[in-house]
Amino acid sequence: MKFMKIGTKPDVFYTEEATRSVLSDVPTDLVIIVNNTRYLLHKFPLLLKCGLLQRLSSDTDDGGTPTPVSLHDFPGGEEAFELCAKFCYGIAISLSAHNFLPAISAARFLRMTESVAKGNLVMKLESFFEACILHGWKDSIVTLQSAGRLPTWSENPRIVRPCIDAVVEKILTHPSKVNWSFTYTRPGYNQKQHRSVPKDWWTEDVSELDLDLFRSIISAVRSSKKLQPQLIGEALHVYTCKHLPDPFKPFLAAESSAATEETLTKNRRVLESIVSMIPSDYGSVSGRFLLKLLKVANQVGASPSTKAELVRRSGRQLEEATAEDLLFPSPTHPSSFDIGIVEAILENFLAQQRRQLGHEERERMAGAMARVAKVFDSYLQAIAHDPHLSVTKLIELAESLPEIARQDHDELYHAIDTYLKEHQELSKEERKRLCRVIDCRKLSANARSDAIANDRLPLRTIVQLLFVEQERARRASSSRGTPHHRPSIEITNNRAEGPVAGVKPESRETMRMERSRSVSELKAVKKEKEAVKAASSGEKLKVK
């Protein structure tokens, strides 16, 4: 960080009774009021260098008691005025990027130009700006930060625009040529252990800027087309983490509901600006980041167009998500989830499958489909705890993926089992409808073993599992070239007896109880046995 020192005299300003004065043997003859501070000063040093005070003082000079000169809405406030006043007295002042903008704004306001006095403050500050601030990375960033804190920063194009250009020029510099200090505090990164500069070295410093200044820099960098879209996306990710609430933070929803409208408006503006700056290139930001933005959009009440854009882009990269990323809190039931938004995301993902794709794109989508199926089944298992989730909706969700998407049904089985465990009030018919979603042939040996012993599954599902188990055992025996004698399976009401893998032997008391079931139930068992025989003879097993 560069500094400039002007003046040599010691500081003689002091405060007494809420008034700032100068320690001097000469009586004060100039009273200036800046905002809420009263200054008792001298005309001789100030009027020599301040064109504005020359004019104002002549208008009020009547030869008697000095009339106070009021400077309302003074740029930079009292501190900036005092810097200019000390310069006029020759008192030593130190200037840097931290106070440069307020100082030059105040000096220009007071008309401390070369036309008033040679070597005046405006000229010295402009020289410092050109020679030091624009050449330093941190100096330019800090100057822009100061500009963002001033309500009239846009009125300083001669300062702001050159700083933006200087920052963009350094961002576009090849990392191997970066030799200035920068902020990079990512977890796990130790700059001393890395000789090379990371490609995203600039993102943290730029993220400290006001939104409009940040947007100007990102727009300039994007228009140059010299940086990869992923670097632009990383800058947006860093800015989001610093300026938007974390949707995964506990109790965030309660905090958001109690937040002021001003905070919500600010967050909404930041979010919508971030979304508008995301490059259109696939993978410029991660799918998880898009889903995070979508959660924030729900919390801050973003516009429908912003939400629709995030849903569309999240669908394109759904394979990068986790089950937790898809858990959107319901706006009506705190303990439930917003399933509609996930359905919309999945629909956007599946829409890609229906387009005409090239060979490479088809291969990518095939792998993406398999990953989405695993994530989606884990998501189903998570929402199965939702007390407001109906059987029909769960079936719709489970069947929304095409059949080829799931290589196995283990996770789907666990999701359905979780739902049966959490919703024990389901009728027998509802259990049957739900379990029809499971393809028993796509269950692993462990999952089949668990399912066969699962009291929550309906009888017809158990029969299917037993048949699959028997067929697999027969094929395994045939592949070894040894004769296989099909075991005799006697089916009771909800279990099968016989040497079938994964079937636990029942106690005699349990068997007696099962055989005492009603005649109607035994007839149902008989139909299931007929289905097993039909399937073993080569017919397709159908379970209604």
Side-chain angles (χ1 to χ4, degrees):
M1 189 76 71
K2 299 294 194 320
F3 294 87
M4 179 176 71
K5 186 176 181 180
I6 306 176
T8 57
K9 295 180 180 180
D11 190 352
V12 291
F13 275 70
Y14 68 94
T15 302
E16 184 178 2
E17 296 180 357
T19 300
R20 293 285 283 168
S21 304
V22 178
L23 186 63
S24 173
D25 295 332
V26 180
T28 58
D29 56 358
L30 181 62
V31 179
I32 298 178
I33 300 175
V34 179
N35 298 337
N36 296 320
T37 302
R38 182 184 180 90
Y39 286 90
L40 302 181
L41 306 173
H42 301 86
K43 290 183 179 180
F44 175 70
L46 269 73
L47 269 58
L48 285 178
K49 296 182 182 295
C50 300
L52 177 65
L53 294 182
Q54 288 178 9
R55 182 180 65 80
L56 295 178
S57 180
S58 62
D59 293 341
T60 59
D61 192 359
D62 57 3
T65 303
T67 303
V69 176
S70 297
L71 302 177
H72 299 293
D73 299 323
F74 191 85
E78 294 90 338
E79 292 183 2
F81 172 79
E82 199 160 311
L83 275 176
C84 296
K86 288 180 179 179
F87 171 79
C88 295
Y89 279 98
I91 297 172
I93 58 175
S94 181
L95 295 165
S96 69
H98 289 285
N99 61 2
F100 165 76
L101 189 57
I104 196 169
S105 299
R108 286 174 175 168
F109 182 82
L110 293 171
R111 300 176 192 171
M112 301 176 71
T113 62
E114 293 300 288
S115 61
V116 177
K118 294 297 180 182
N120 216 338
L121 184 56
V122 170
M123 184 273 292
K124 292 183 180 296
L125 289 172
E126 287 178 346
S127 299
F128 176 65
F129 179 68
E130 295 286 343
C132 298
I133 289 181
L134 291 182
H135 289 275
W137 168 255
K138 285 289 185 67
D139 301 82
S140 299
I141 292 292
V142 170
T143 301
L144 288 176
Q145 283 182 277
S146 300
R149 288 191 288 267
L150 293 176
T152 58
W153 66 265
S154 58
E155 299 175 6
N156 289 282
R158 288 182 293 173
I159 300 300
V160 173
R161 190 70 252 176
C163 278
I164 290 177
D165 294 339
V167 167
V168 171
E169 180 183 1
K170 291 178 176 61
I171 290 174
L172 297 178
T173 301
H174 193 276
S176 63
K177 297 181 180 180
V178 174
N179 55 12
W180 49 81
S181 63
F182 54 86
T183 305
Y184 200 83
T185 59
R186 311 298 173 82
Y189 180 84
N190 187 342
Q191 191 171 342
K192 295 181 180 179
Q193 298 176 358
H194 295 76
R195 294 183 179 180
S196 61
V197 173
K199 292 182 179 180
D200 59 341
W201 61 268
W202 51 276
T203 55
E204 284 194 48
D205 287 326
V206 171
S207 69
E208 297 291 344
L209 299 177
D210 171 82
L211 177 62
D212 291 327
L213 292 169
F214 174 77
R215 182 163 48 195
S216 297
I217 290 174
I218 294 298
S219 298
V221 171
R222 286 185 61 181
S223 62
S224 71
K225 298 182 180 179
K226 292 183 179 180
L227 289 187
Q228 297 176 340
Q230 289 77 9
L231 289 178
I232 305 297
E234 179 61 19
L236 298 177
H237 180 266
V238 174
Y239 196 89
T240 298
C241 291
K242 287 192 176 183
H243 297 276
L244 286 177
D246 184 359
F248 300 102
K249 183 179 179 182
F251 308 112
L252 182 63
E255 293 174 3
S256 295
S257 63
T260 62
E261 184 60 33
E262 181 180 357
T263 300
L264 290 175
T265 301
K266 176 184 175 183
N267 289 339
R268 190 159 50 239
R269 178 171 174 265
V270 171
L271 172 79
E272 294 178 353
S273 296
I274 292 293
V275 174
S276 68
M277 286 186 277
I278 298 176
S280 58
D281 307 72
Y282 178 87
S284 58
V285 295
S286 69
R288 300 194 66 189
F289 176 59
L290 291 167
L291 289 167
K292 176 181 178 180
L293 289 178
L294 188 52
K295 288 186 178 182
V296 177
N298 280 347
Q299 292 172 358
V300 302
S303 66
S305 60
T306 299
K307 292 181 182 180
E309 175 66 10
L310 288 171
V311 166
R312 183 185 68 82
R313 300 191 65 137
S314 298
R316 288 179 63 194
Q317 299 175 234
L318 183 56
E319 70 273 15
E320 301 172 16
T322 66
E324 184 183 10
D325 297 327
L326 298 175
L327 296 177
F328 291 82
S330 171
T332 55
H333 298 95
S335 60
S336 299
F337 302 100
D338 188 343
I339 295 172
I341 197 168
V342 177
E343 289 180 299
I345 293 170
L346 181 62
E347 176 57 32
N348 276 271
F349 171 78
L350 295 176
Q352 300 177 85
Q353 298 284 334
R354 298 189 285 268
R355 297 202 312 263
Q356 293 292 333
L357 302 175
H359 176 69
E360 292 185 1
E361 189 67 10
R362 283 200 303 271
E363 288 186 347
R364 185 190 72 80
M365 286 304 299
M369 181 67 80
R371 290 191 293 272
V372 167
K374 289 187 175 296
V375 170
F376 200 68
D377 286 345
S378 297
Y379 166 74
L380 294 180
Q381 189 170 349
I383 66 171
H385 298 274
D386 186 347
H388 301 283
L389 180 63
S390 67
V391 173
T392 301
K393 177 55 67 175
L394 182 59
I395 293 174
E396 288 179 4
L397 290 171
E399 293 179 340
S400 57
L401 284 174
E403 186 177 350
I404 61 172
R406 292 184 174 94
Q407 303 301 315
D408 64 72
H409 277 211
D410 285 16
E411 293 301 321
L412 180 60
Y413 160 66
H414 290 306
I416 290 176
D417 184 41
T418 301
Y419 187 83
L420 293 175
K421 189 185 302 181
E422 296 293 328
H423 300 75
Q424 299 184 14
E425 73 285 355
L426 295 181
S427 66
K428 183 178 179 180
E429 183 58 34
E430 287 176 325
R431 291 172 183 267
K432 288 181 180 180
R433 285 175 52 212
L434 184 57
C435 290
R436 286 194 192 108
V437 178
I438 303 173
D439 187 341
C440 297
R441 295 165 298 181
K442 288 189 176 183
L443 291 179
S444 65
N446 289 336
R448 288 198 308 274
S449 176
D450 181 82
I452 290 172
N454 192 340
D455 290 328
R456 289 181 290 274
L457 299 185
L459 173 63
R460 60 184 64 248
T461 303
I462 300 296
V463 171
Q464 282 184 295
L465 290 165
L466 291 172
F467 171 71
V468 170
E469 192 73 29
Q470 178 177 284
E471 287 298 300
R472 289 184 181 274
R474 183 177 60 80
R475 286 197 297 268
S477 177
S478 299
S479 64
R480 291 194 298 268
T482 58
H484 174 74
H485 299 285
R486 187 181 306 163
S488 175
I489 302 176
E490 181 181 350
I491 302 177
T492 62
N493 184 43
N494 58 358
R495 285 292 182 270
E497 295 178 352
V500 181
V503 182
K504 298 180 180 179
E506 303 289 334
S507 65
R508 293 186 177 181
E509 181 62 27
T510 302
M511 297 300 295
R512 282 197 299 270
M513 292 175 63
E514 290 178 341
R515 291 192 181 98
S516 63
R517 300 287 185 179
S518 64
V519 175
S520 60
E521 290 179 332
L522 291 177
K523 288 182 179 180
V525 173
K526 183 178 180 181
K527 290 182 180 180
E528 301 296 345
K529 291 175 66 176
E530 290 174 354
V532 173
K533 291 179 180 179
S536 63
S537 63
E539 298 178 8
K540 186 177 180 181
L541 178 62
K542 297 181 180 180
V543 179
K544 298 181 180 180

